[in-house]
Amino acid sequence: MEYAGFYTILDPFKSDNTSGGPQTYKNIIKYVESFGINVKVVTPGDEFINPNEFKFNIYQDLFNDPVGSKWFTPEEYKVLGDSSKRFAVSECGYTACTTSPYADTTFDGTFVQKISRPIFEKSHKIITASPLHSRTISKLMSDLPGDFYAYLAEVDFENFKNTNQERTIPVLTVGAMNHWKGTDLCCEKYGEDLVVAGYGDHNVLKNNSKFMGKVKHEDMPQLFNISKTYTHLPRWKEPFSISTAEAFLCGCLVDVNENVGAMSFGKDLSNTEVYVESANDFKQMIKENFIDY
């Protein structure tokens, strides 16, 4: 029986995080296993396994902890980078470029890049969340060379769909509230017409925008379906923004800016076939590069 290694700081099966990152982790594992390859998740909290023991490996968000308290050891990172087996580096954010949570380009990323860059340079594929994400990682890592693959994350279109309800909320924004996510920009633009569903820095709320608190993921399809417009105006280069895709599928008008990675695919995100094609293309990439080579 063949195994692939999935090295990550966050075990997606031991987390209640429903954001796009952990969902992507599970999708990647699911597609690898669809070829009859068992996947072994290895985190810094587990006994370290040499990657040469696996058929191939996925290194997923290896630095997804800004303060480094949950990182693998320097020796383990060297072993990962020196593996004789093929491996892909997969990033849902910018944690391999900088320890700043929102990829603040004024923050010195030299420290983490001393460890991460050799791994990126030796990887067979660099999996990112969008073409915008690929370009930004390359730029932050001083024009990093490599074979980038932009993976358009699938969205649960069985639940996120237009149910043709009355849309009583004029404008909606969801998720983490802070400067980098541009919550204040949404408030400035839409004022009292805006409903904010999220968590974080309440100081960014302004112009009498309405705050409804954090909403459970299972309740989001209903919220999108009673909203006319969804807005997201981040200051940072958002790798994907799964809420943008969900809003499209639920029939919202969408007002976003050039920093939303989902838009950089240039695809109709309200079309369910886009997500089906993405899954098929991703599986084919895995097959050609890590199964049948």
Side-chain angles (χ1 to χ4, degrees):
M1 187 172 293
E2 292 182 306
Y3 281 82
F6 190 88
Y7 292 81
T8 180
I9 284 179
L10 174 66
D11 187 333
F13 302 106
K14 296 180 180 178
S15 170
D16 58 359
N17 191 329
T18 59
S19 65
Q23 290 182 57
T24 297
Y25 294 14
K26 292 177 182 178
N27 284 342
I28 293 175
I29 291 171
K30 176 180 66 176
Y31 295 137
V32 171
E33 291 182 334
S34 73
F35 295 107
I37 306 290
N38 285 337
V39 174
K40 174 66 176 177
V41 176
V42 182
T43 74
D46 302 316
E47 181 179 354
F48 187 76
I49 301 174
N50 191 304
N52 290 330
E53 296 187 19
F54 299 115
K55 178 178 175 63
F56 65 90
N57 298 282
I58 307 290
Y59 299 161
Q60 179 69 62
D61 288 332
L62 286 182
F63 304 92
N64 192 11
D65 172 37
V67 298
S69 64
K70 300 175 184 176
W71 285 4
F72 291 94
T73 67
E75 293 77 17
E76 289 168 345
Y77 281 118
K78 187 175 189 310
V79 171
L80 292 174
D82 289 342
S83 173
S84 62
K85 298 297 179 72
R86 287 192 177 194
F87 63 85
V89 173
S90 179
E91 282 286 310
C92 289
Y94 299 103
T95 57
C97 309
T98 173
T99 53
S100 172
Y102 286 98
D104 181 356
T105 55
T106 64
F107 190 92
D108 184 7
T110 304
F111 168 66
V112 67
Q113 289 190 34
K114 284 182 178 178
I115 305 171
S116 64
R117 189 180 180 95
I119 297 175
F120 272 74
E121 290 178 341
K122 294 176 184 177
S123 67
H124 192 69
K125 286 284 183 181
I126 301 172
I127 302 170
T128 64
S130 67
L132 174 66
H133 191 205
S134 298
R135 293 193 296 268
T136 307
I137 284 178
S138 180
K139 181 178 179 180
L140 288 172
M141 298 185 80
S142 303
D143 297 321
L144 174 77
D147 190 353
F148 284 87
Y149 182 93
Y151 168 41
L152 194 158
E154 297 103 273
V155 181
D156 180 10
F157 53 76
E158 294 294 335
N159 286 314
F160 288 91
K161 58 186 177 182
N162 189 351
T163 53
N164 298 307
Q165 298 184 55
E166 181 183 1
R167 297 184 181 267
T168 56
I169 296 176
V171 189
L172 174 73
T173 190
V174 305
M177 305 183 304
N178 58 52
H179 169 84
W180 292 107
K181 290 284 189 176
T183 312
D184 55 325
L185 299 179
C186 296
C187 292
E188 290 170 1
K189 184 170 184 176
Y190 288 104
E192 61 186 15
D193 285 337
L194 180 69
V195 171
V196 180
Y199 56 92
D201 182 7
H202 289 245
N203 292 322
V204 298
L205 299 174
K206 56 180 62 177
N207 288 14
N208 297 317
S209 295
K210 303 174 182 64
F211 175 64
M212 66 180 300
K214 188 175 182 179
V215 176
K216 294 180 180 179
H217 189 253
E218 58 265 31
D219 296 330
M220 286 305 302
Q222 170 65 12
L223 185 59
F224 282 126
N225 267 281
I226 61 171
S227 301
K228 293 180 181 177
T229 297
Y230 172 74
T231 187
H232 184 40
L233 306 172
R235 289 182 172 88
W236 77 312
K237 305 295 185 183
E238 187 92 44
F240 184 69
S241 177
I242 197 166
S243 59
T244 297
E246 292 167 345
F248 269 112
L249 286 167
C250 290
C252 297
L253 299 174
V254 174
D255 176 23
V256 297
N257 63 18
E258 70 281 357
N259 290 331
V260 174
M263 304 303 292
S264 67
F265 283 98
K267 296 181 180 292
D268 178 6
L269 299 177
S270 66
N271 183 354
T272 59
E273 285 302 310
V274 166
Y275 307 97
V276 176
E277 290 172 3
S278 175
N280 291 335
D281 290 347
F282 187 80
K283 288 170 67 175
Q284 185 64 25
M285 184 276 289
I286 292 292
K287 185 175 188 294
E288 291 177 355
N289 290 277
F290 298 100
I291 308 295
D292 292 342
Y293 70 93

